[in-house]
């Protein structure tokens, strides 16, 4: 398993040991796409509730695994979540209202997040003497403290501002065709932003055994050309000091560039 899947196993075990009544493990089938192909998550993310069920011997009803299928619109998964509400003892009407409320909060967050991204990009362009780093990867390996091994803080301690990739990507940016990975669509569109802003660089957090990254990193190299970037491939054995050294060396290269 890759590092995020290993962490998922540990997190599930922790939740079960805490005596929780339920474990919420949705089945992510497809997500909203920005290209002319469906957008999906990787097979291990899609399959998590199914292999976790066997790994931990879940009792009937202990795991909640609604289908998350947003490929043709957010409403596609409504029925699955309403069924889950009923399973938890609520009425279908209550489940329906909860789905609407959750969706409204999610869309409100996305709107505010994207507005902040535009504000941040404007700040980057107005401060050409400062170095900014876009953090690419996936939210569950690049943005979570247990999975990213403190990499954002390591950049910040060097006086560099770190920006999440999903805040700044350009929806209409042109990327290599047939890109059906949901997060990597956003990553590739973020790369196009980084390439055209002089003082914005990127660090891509990857994991050993990551199949999508095995070819996405080739696209990254072709798209970036001669502009420096940093790929940090990590797992549970990665040494902290090694990350420090690579980040410091990368920032030296950026300074020279």
């Amino acid at each position: 398993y890759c590092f995020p899947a290993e962490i998922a196993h540990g997190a599930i075990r922790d939740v079960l040991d805490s005596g929780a009544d339920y474990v919420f493990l949705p089945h992510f089938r497809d997500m909203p796409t920005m290209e002319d192909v469906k957008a999906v998550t990787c097979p291990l993310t899609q399959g998590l509730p199914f292999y976790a069920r066997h790994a931990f011997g879940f009792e009937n009803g202990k795991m909640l695994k609604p289908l998350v299928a947003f490929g043709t619109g957010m409403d596609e998964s409504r029925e699955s979540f309403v069924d889950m509400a009923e399973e938890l003892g609520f009425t279908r009407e209550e489940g329906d209202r909860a789905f609407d409320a959750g969706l409204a909060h999610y869309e409100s967050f996305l709107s505010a997040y994207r507005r902040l991204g535009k504000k941040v990009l404007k700040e980057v362009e107005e401060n050409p003497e400062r170095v900014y780093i876009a953090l690419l990867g996936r939210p569950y390996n690049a943005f979570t403290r247990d999975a990213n091994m403190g990499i954002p803080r390591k950049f910040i301690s060097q006086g560099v501002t770190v920006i999440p990739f999903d805040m700044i990507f350009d929806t209409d940016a042109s990327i290599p065709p047939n890109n059906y990975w949901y997060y990597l669509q956003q990553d590739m569109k973020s790369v196009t932003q980084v390439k055209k802003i002089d003082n914005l660089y990127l660090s891509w957090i990857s994991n050993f055994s990551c199949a999508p990254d095995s070819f996405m990193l080739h696209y990254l190299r072709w798209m970036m050309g001669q502009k420096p970037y940093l790929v940090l491939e990590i797992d549970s054995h990665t040494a902290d000091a090694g990350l420090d050294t690579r980040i410091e060396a990368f920032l030296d290269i950026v300074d020279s560039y």
Side-chain angles (χ1 to χ4, degrees):
Y1 285 122
C2 61
F3 190 33
E6 291 175 13
I7 292 173
H9 278 76
I12 294 165
R13 178 77 272 162
D14 186 52
V15 169
L16 290 172
D17 289 347
S18 73
D21 296 320
Y22 302 98
V23 180
F24 180 65
L25 289 173
H27 170 210
F28 286 91
R29 193 185 72 195
D30 47 18
M31 303 295 282
T33 185
M34 293 180 286
E35 296 293 289
D36 57 359
V37 289
K38 274 197 168 186
V40 297
T41 57
C42 85
L44 290 182
T45 306
Q46 287 189 48
L48 178 61
F50 303 100
Y51 58 76
R53 181 179 64 198
H54 293 287
F56 296 100
F58 273 99
E59 304 163 17
N60 286 338
K62 185 87 172 177
M63 181 197 292
L64 302 172
K65 56 177 180 64
L67 175 66
V68 176
F70 293 149
T72 60
M74 294 297 195
D75 214 50
E76 189 179 353
S77 288
R78 178 182 296 274
E79 197 65 22
S80 181
F81 277 86
V82 170
D83 288 344
M84 185 183 70
E86 206 169 31
E87 188 181 341
L88 289 168
F90 297 96
T91 65
R92 296 192 71 78
E93 290 75 19
E94 288 173 315
D96 220 29
R97 288 198 299 273
F99 186 84
D100 285 334
L103 201 55
H105 278 290
Y106 176 63
E107 289 174 341
S108 173
F109 162 75
L110 279 185
S111 177
Y113 194 58
R114 300 294 290 158
R115 284 198 306 272
L116 181 58
K118 289 179 181 177
K119 184 179 174 183
V120 168
L121 283 175
K122 187 178 178 186
E123 178 195 314
V124 174
E125 292 176 329
E126 288 175 349
N127 294 275
E129 75 290 346
R130 286 190 61 187
V131 172
Y132 294 81
I133 299 289
L135 198 65
L136 277 67
R138 297 155 190 76
Y140 54 78
N141 79 334
F143 304 157
T144 59
R145 191 169 50 193
D146 290 330
N148 66 25
M149 298 196 163
I151 288 168
R153 288 181 179 273
K154 292 178 187 297
F155 276 113
I156 292 166
S157 70
Q158 298 290 328
V160 171
T161 299
V162 175
I163 306 170
F165 72 90
D166 56 354
M167 180 183 279
I168 60 166
F169 66 84
D170 177 7
T171 307
D172 299 322
S174 177
I175 61 174
N178 201 32
N179 191 332
Y180 46 80
W181 303 111
Y182 173 64
Y183 290 119
L184 297 182
Q185 284 184 4
Q186 299 175 20
D187 277 313
M188 291 292 105
K189 289 175 185 286
S190 300
V191 172
T192 63
Q193 289 280 35
V194 172
K195 183 68 188 296
K196 66 187 182 186
I197 301 175
D198 288 344
N199 57 325
L200 179 59
Y201 298 83
L202 73 82
S203 178
W204 185 300
I205 296 184
S206 184
N207 300 108
F208 293 99
S209 303
C210 179
D213 277 1
S214 67
F215 51 91
M216 279 300 148
L217 294 177
H218 291 290
Y219 287 130
L220 172 64
R221 184 174 72 245
W222 297 332
M223 292 169 72
M224 288 296 285
Q226 293 190 348
K227 188 171 186 180
Y229 63 90
L230 176 65
V231 175
L232 294 170
E233 198 171 26
I234 59 179
D235 65 10
S236 52
H237 300 288
T238 299
D240 191 65
L243 292 175
D244 286 330
T245 303
R246 293 192 62 192
I247 288 170
E248 288 169 12
F250 171 63
L251 293 177
D252 280 344
I253 292 169
V254 165
D255 189 49
S256 300
Y257 180 79

